[in-house]
Amino acid sequence: MMRTLVVNSTLIDCVSPDPRPGTTIVIEGQRISHVGPDSGFSAGPDDQVIDLKGAYLLPGLWDVHVHPDYHSLADMPLAEQVTLFGHRLQTALMDSGIVGFRCAGAHDYIDVAWRRSFEAGQFTGPRLFASGYFLTTTGGHFLTSGHARECDGPYGFVKAIREGIKNGIDHVKLNLSGGILGPSWDLHTQSFLLDDEIKAAFDICKLRGFKVMAHATNPQAVKAAILLGAHSIEHGYIMDDECIELLLKHDVWLVPTLAISHLTPGQAKNKWESLWTQQRGMAHALCCRAEAASDTHTNWFAKAVKAGVKMALGSDIRPLKDAALLEMGLWTRNGATPWQTLVAATRHGAAICGVGDELGTVEAGKIADLIVVGANPLDDINNVRQLQMVIKDGQVVSDKRPVGQP
């Protein structure tokens, strides 16, 4: 088997926070077979050698809270939406180095369809973990997105979950509460499910062995989800000290999605954020809602970081090639170090999706999903934008190194 030697790299393996210059990575097939100093390994006559000239090698990035673009079937036929989602996913891999996504709601199971296509090798794309529809109540959260399914009563939720399982989902996305961006009756301060509805939903997930990705935006919803066995809490815009204690006690993930409350024109702090907010053109009333929620969101995010809550990086915005990069910038501005942010976007991204033993760090035996960037992201997390190369399953799928560099 031909080997690929990636030499003269500065390795950030996302196990240790200390970069390791002069490192060689050996890839055989899909996997990393060796990690060590350049001086300790020499290339054979049949080996492919990639000289990084000191550039930074690290695990590929993950975004563990995403949706396809928001279009109703009246706006865009389903076939076009499926095609657009696939294009967005492939572009995110090739242009931004995002090797894994966890979906938080997609109508008509288009996330399942693309996961199967990527896994079958029909197209080159990121790893995708599918939820199908996100489940809410009649008059629930984000009905205009096209990705919500309205359920009512215990058996309404049970039936929807069973249908999702039948259609090939990986996890269940359950909305316990409202959101920041929506109509006047869709409020993140309010919880939506009755006790018997939420219990039935969690009961069937436990029986069938499916993890619950719980949209929970206020203390009541966060606590209910944790105590019923949620795998992850999404958003956590408003929490209290008991929420933090329960997250730690029950070892539950938190995915804070800072972009939802922080990316408005009035809060943009750099050129990337300014350009994104201009292009998004969010209505003034929604900007006001986001800005009114941002300080509280920041407070509980920072407290969770300080307390050592398990956290993974998810954006909840589009386009997918920009979303994780913007979210990483927000993490470092709101209480996380570049190291904590990078771990959340690599090792923890793989772990929350249940594949931490195979992916998320640069170690011998793991699958070679890797990126190369031109400057140290531990100095400035935005250096992940200096993407030079993407390796997926041991194969170079994108090479953007400067012209003249072999």
Side-chain angles (χ1 to χ4, degrees):
M1 180 185 296
M2 186 184 78
R3 301 181 303 181
T4 299
L5 274 62
V6 183
V7 304
N8 195 13
S9 73
T10 304
L11 176 65
I12 301 176
D13 59 13
C14 289
V15 178
S16 164
D18 299 316
R20 293 156 58 184
T23 298
T24 289
I25 309 297
V26 181
I27 301 170
E28 298 187 52
Q30 291 183 313
R31 294 185 181 271
I32 300 165
S33 62
H34 171 87
V35 179
D38 289 331
S39 59
F41 205 89
S42 57
D46 297 326
D47 291 337
Q48 176 190 16
V49 178
I50 300 172
D51 187 348
L52 295 189
K53 300 186 180 299
Y56 291 80
L57 178 70
L58 52 148
L61 305 177
W62 289 68
D63 188 337
V64 299
H65 188 123
V66 301
H67 303 272
D69 290 64
Y70 294 137
H71 294 291
S72 70
L73 294 177
D75 295 333
M76 181 183 289
L78 180 59
E80 293 183 24
Q81 293 196 43
V82 174
T83 303
L84 178 62
F85 187 37
H87 173 71
R88 299 287 202 202
L89 290 163
Q90 291 175 295
T91 301
L93 172 67
M94 305 298 186
D95 292 349
S96 301
I98 304 166
V99 301
F101 288 99
R102 184 178 64 148
C103 205
H107 66 74
D108 289 280
Y109 303 102
I110 66 177
D111 51 352
V112 174
W114 274 111
R115 184 201 69 209
R116 289 172 173 166
S117 293
F118 293 147
E119 287 178 347
Q122 295 172 312
F123 301 92
T124 299
R127 304 180 191 281
L128 187 60
F129 294 82
S131 67
Y133 292 94
F134 68 74
L135 306 181
T136 188
T137 61
T138 296
H141 176 57
F142 220 172
L143 304 181
T144 56
S145 67
H147 304 309
R149 170 160 284 180
E150 292 176 284
C151 309
D152 291 292
Y155 294 103
F157 281 93
V158 169
K159 184 175 188 293
I161 291 167
R162 287 171 173 159
E163 286 182 358
I165 293 169
K166 181 180 72 174
N167 281 282
I169 63 172
D170 296 301
H171 55 269
V172 172
K173 171 67 181 305
L174 186 64
N175 278 72
L176 282 73
S177 55
I180 289 174
L181 306 180
S184 59
W185 41 262
D186 183 1
L187 300 174
H188 69 286
T189 55
Q190 296 181 350
S191 297
F192 289 171
L193 276 68
L194 297 174
D195 290 346
D196 58 350
E197 290 175 318
I198 187 175
K199 184 177 185 303
F202 274 89
D203 281 350
I204 191 63
C205 289
K206 289 175 188 173
L207 285 171
R208 300 300 298 270
F210 278 75
K211 296 172 181 176
V212 176
M213 182 181 188
H215 170 115
T217 58
N218 60 62
Q220 177 191 14
V222 170
K223 293 172 195 177
I226 295 171
L227 293 173
L228 285 166
H231 179 62
S232 67
I233 299 298
E234 310 296 308
H235 310 303
Y237 302 134
I238 308 170
M239 295 195 289
D240 60 22
D241 290 334
E242 187 182 5
C243 291
I244 301 291
E245 292 169 6
L246 288 171
L247 284 164
L248 291 167
K249 178 181 177 181
H250 293 271
D251 199 30
V252 174
W253 290 96
L254 175 65
V255 180
T257 66
L258 293 172
I260 294 297
S261 65
H262 285 73
L263 285 186
T264 63
Q267 298 180 95
K269 301 295 185 184
N270 58 44
K271 61 185 178 181
W272 303 292
E273 293 176 5
S274 295
L275 179 61
W276 188 88
T277 57
Q278 289 168 17
Q279 292 175 338
R280 186 180 192 187
M282 190 162 68
H284 177 70
L286 294 181
C287 288
C288 291
R289 280 179 62 169
E291 290 168 1
S294 64
D295 285 350
T296 299
H297 194 185
T298 293
N299 177 54
W300 289 108
F301 168 76
K303 285 188 175 182
V305 170
K306 186 175 181 180
V309 172
K310 280 195 318 187
M311 297 167 75
L313 187 132
S315 67
D316 201 17
I317 58 171
R318 284 145 303 285
L320 299 179
K321 68 181 181 65
D322 300 322
L325 307 184
L326 288 163
E327 182 73 12
M328 292 173 82
L330 292 171
W331 273 54
T332 59
R333 194 158 72 241
N334 286 279
T337 65
W339 169 248
Q340 290 169 324
T341 303
L342 195 59
V343 167
T346 56
R347 190 171 86 209
H348 287 180
I352 199 173
C353 293
V355 290
D357 290 342
E358 296 281 310
L359 294 151
T361 62
V362 185
E363 298 177 272
K366 289 205 167 182
I367 295 171
D369 280 11
L370 311 169
I371 62 173
V372 177
V373 298
N376 188 353
L378 299 179
D379 292 336
D380 180 349
I381 201 65
N382 287 308
N383 286 337
V384 295
R385 296 175 177 276
Q386 298 187 35
L387 186 69
Q388 294 187 3
M389 181 177 287
V390 180
I391 297 172
K392 168 89 172 16
D393 283 319
Q395 300 294 316
V396 176
V397 296
S398 179
D399 191 346
K400 301 176 183 293
R401 286 177 294 170
V403 174
Q405 183 172 330

